[in-house]
Amino acid sequence: SDLMAPYYVMLALFVGSLLTAVMIRVPVTQPEFVGCPAIQRYFGRFAIFFLMAMGQALVTAFGCLHFVGMTVAEPALFVLACCLCSLNFAAMNYALVYSLDNVGLALSVIIMVLQVAGSGGSYPIDVLPALFRSLYPFMPFHYGMDMIRETIGGMYGQTYLHCALLLLGMCVMFTVFGLLVYYPARKLNAAIAASKEKSGIM
């Protein structure tokens, strides 16, 4: 159903972004790059995540249009919305894993679960518990789904542009977070990694 499509598109893009952060080593550990400024190492590795995000966004968008057979009023804007949402999720997951390592992965999973349950994708936000209603304005799923609904049902006012700007603003916020938290969190990340290695389980 085209009514549920925005929700499942968001879920597919987020899970793809999360799996990218699991499969690809996030920290830059090669000796030849140790002397590079943190911002160069950050964006150098993020380039891979950016390409993966755009690839999965295009596969998802064109799969919906030509394989699933979604009825979309604005196909070009639908593809652009998928790309913006995928970029947002990549920026979020990359920043969390880059700065917080294993803790960042756990936070990414928690954020995904909260958005799946409380973004209003399957049930109206008004019938959900107060916790989800309070978090709703901060959920990228919320704005991504609104963008895709606009492309499916037709544009209304500046909703699409408003959501796109908010998602791009979140990308900047996640990037600043990743760069600022990386150095203060290094000792914590090293301690957690050593504990995990010592356990012999993970």
Side-chain angles (χ1 to χ4, degrees), residues 11-99:
L11 183 58
L13 294 175
F14 194 97
V15 170
S17 173
L18 185 58
L19 289 176
T20 302
V22 171
M23 292 186 299
I24 298 176
R25 180 184 293 275
V26 173
V28 178
T29 56
Q30 290 88 339
E32 59 268 30
F33 298 122
V34 171
C36 294
I39 194 166
Q40 290 184 7
R41 286 185 278 118
Y42 186 93
F43 286 107
R45 183 54 55 88
F46 181 70
I48 299 174
F49 284 75
F50 174 80
L51 293 174
M52 292 288 289
M54 294 304 100
Q56 72 171 14
L58 293 175
V59 169
T60 302
F62 287 109
C64 288
L65 293 173
H66 300 293
F67 181 72
V68 178
M70 277 179 57
T71 304
V72 177
E74 302 285 350
L77 291 178
F78 172 74
V79 175
L80 177 60
C82 288
C83 290
L84 284 174
C85 293
S86 190
L87 173 63
N88 179 278
F89 300 150
M92 175 198 297
N93 290 319
Y94 179 79
L96 287 172
V97 177
Y98 182 89
S99 59

Side-chain angles (χ1 to χ4, degrees), residues 138-201:
F138 306 102
M139 293 183 178
F141 268 39
H142 159 37
Y143 302 105
M145 286 191 295
D146 282 354
M147 286 180 72
I148 292 179
R149 288 186 183 115
E150 291 286 298
T151 65
I152 292 175
M155 309 298 283
Y156 179 78
Q158 300 296 316
T159 301
Y160 186 95
L161 178 61
H162 172 72
C163 293
L165 291 176
L166 279 172
L167 289 177
L168 288 173
M170 288 182 183
C171 291
V172 175
M173 181 188 70
F174 297 139
T175 300
V176 172
F177 173 87
L179 289 169
L180 291 180
V181 175
Y182 172 71
Y183 283 107
R186 282 190 302 176
K187 290 184 178 179
L188 173 64
N189 294 338
I192 293 174
S195 177
K196 184 177 71 172
E197 185 69 24
K198 187 178 179 180
S199 71
I201 299 175

